[in-house]
Amino acid sequence: TCGKGYKATMSKITRETYEQNVQAMLAHAAEKKRKFVETVELQITLKNYDPQRDKRFSGTVKLPNIPRPRMKVCILGDAKHCDEAKSKNIPCMDVEALKKLNKNKKLVKKLANSYDAFFASAALIKQIPRLLGPGLNKAGKFPSLLTHDDNMEHKISELKSTIKFQMKKVLTLGVAIGHVGMTADEITNNTVQSVNFLVSLLKKNWQNVKSLTLKSTMGAPQRLY
């Protein structure tokens, strides 16, 4: 269905429509400069979908340009990974630091809230439930595996480039696909790839899409579809 979805997507929104909306959004953001870098979100409304009965979809896609450069990642590492992380100024915690949290729900929650995502060394990943309880899992931040063959910086950059579409109980979804510090071309490319991938996840492709909107944090919504 992937190919079908992608093909169907191409015909629905022209490159020109994407570009016009991205430029309008960036112009608005430039007029009213904020003290922070606004996030660009793709907002989706679905139709002909019953969240109670239809299969809830979930999927991740890697975008061509990093949408979340400020995303905070922490390594739960063995000695080798912690040494590497420290040398690269990447936040890390070793097994002793995790033991000190003593499975305290408040402390584990605080840890989960302090970072957007976690990586864990193979030696530690199986111990996470025993060391921390279910806190990270509940927060939807259970660590991804980091092996000694992996390039740590590359893995983090890959994670920052990856977005997730997940159907919950409602017919609306919002996903951060960029920020206003990016060029119009970078945002357009990220948007096109995000929309194409989303449509390929849907059971009836475009027949399940009611609307697609681009919006910066403080800006007016730009209707794509």
Side-chain angles (χ1 to χ4, degrees):
T1 58
C2 246
K4 192 176 76 181
Y6 271 56
K7 219 175 258 179
T9 312
M10 293 305 178
S11 58
K12 288 281 181 179
I13 304 175
T14 63
R15 176 86 188 181
E16 198 183 353
T17 304
Y18 280 115
E19 285 171 352
Q20 283 169 351
N21 281 288
V22 168
Q23 275 154 1
M25 180 185 66
L26 288 177
H28 188 276
E31 267 170 40
K32 288 191 171 177
K33 264 258 191 283
R34 306 286 170 177
K35 286 178 181 167
F36 64 98
V37 180
E38 292 179 61
T39 297
V40 175
E41 192 175 63
L42 174 66
Q43 297 175 339
I44 304 115
T45 307
L46 302 174
K47 63 178 183 182
N48 304 334
Y49 226 96
D50 181 349
Q52 304 302 326
R53 284 173 45 209
D54 289 325
K55 187 170 176 275
R56 289 189 201 167
F57 59 81
S58 168
T60 56
V61 62
K62 184 173 179 272
L63 298 182
N65 306 289
I66 292 181
R68 297 174 295 175
R70 297 189 309 281
M71 185 182 183
K72 289 190 290 191
V73 180
C74 179
I75 310 291
L76 309 179
D78 55 22
K80 191 179 173 193
H81 275 147
C82 277
D83 286 346
E84 187 187 341
K86 280 172 192 158
S87 73
K88 290 173 177 169
N89 285 328
I90 297 167
C92 71
M93 291 178 80
D94 61 12
V95 72
E96 291 309 313
L98 295 177
K99 279 180 185 168
K100 279 181 192 155
L101 299 179
N102 208 13
K103 269 196 186 174
N104 179 317
K105 282 182 185 171
K106 275 189 181 164
L107 294 177
V108 174
K109 192 176 180 181
K110 191 180 170 190
L111 171 67
N113 290 340
S114 302
Y115 296 97
D116 297 301
F118 297 87
F119 277 109
S121 308
L124 252 77
I125 205 158
K126 287 178 185 145
Q127 297 181 51
I128 301 288
R130 192 165 54 82
L131 289 168
L132 299 179
L136 290 185
N137 213 7
K138 274 186 184 164
K141 293 180 184 177
F142 193 80
S144 303
L145 177 65
L146 184 70
T147 71
H148 288 143
D149 296 330
D150 290 328
N151 176 324
M152 191 180 283
E153 285 162 309
H154 179 70
K155 287 285 278 192
I156 290 173
S157 150
E158 213 169 52
L159 187 73
K160 288 180 178 181
S161 303
T162 304
I163 59 165
K164 183 174 188 176
F165 288 104
Q166 190 165 13
M167 175 82 181
K168 298 273 174 73
K169 291 177 183 172
V170 289
L171 290 175
T172 50
L173 294 98
V175 183
I177 53 122
H179 57 87
V180 298
M182 294 164 84
T183 65
D185 221 31
E186 287 172 337
I187 296 173
T188 302
N189 290 338
N190 275 9
T191 309
V192 171
Q193 190 141 334
S194 304
V195 170
N196 289 356
F197 180 72
L198 167 77
V199 172
S200 76
L201 287 177
L202 299 172
K203 198 164 73 174
K204 294 181 179 171
N205 302 123
W206 277 100
Q207 289 169 7
N208 288 132
V209 181
K210 186 176 182 182
S211 71
L212 292 169
T213 305
L214 265 189
K215 188 184 177 310
S216 66
T217 312
M218 309 299 285
Q222 305 290 332
R223 185 83 176 252
L224 286 169
Y225 178 76

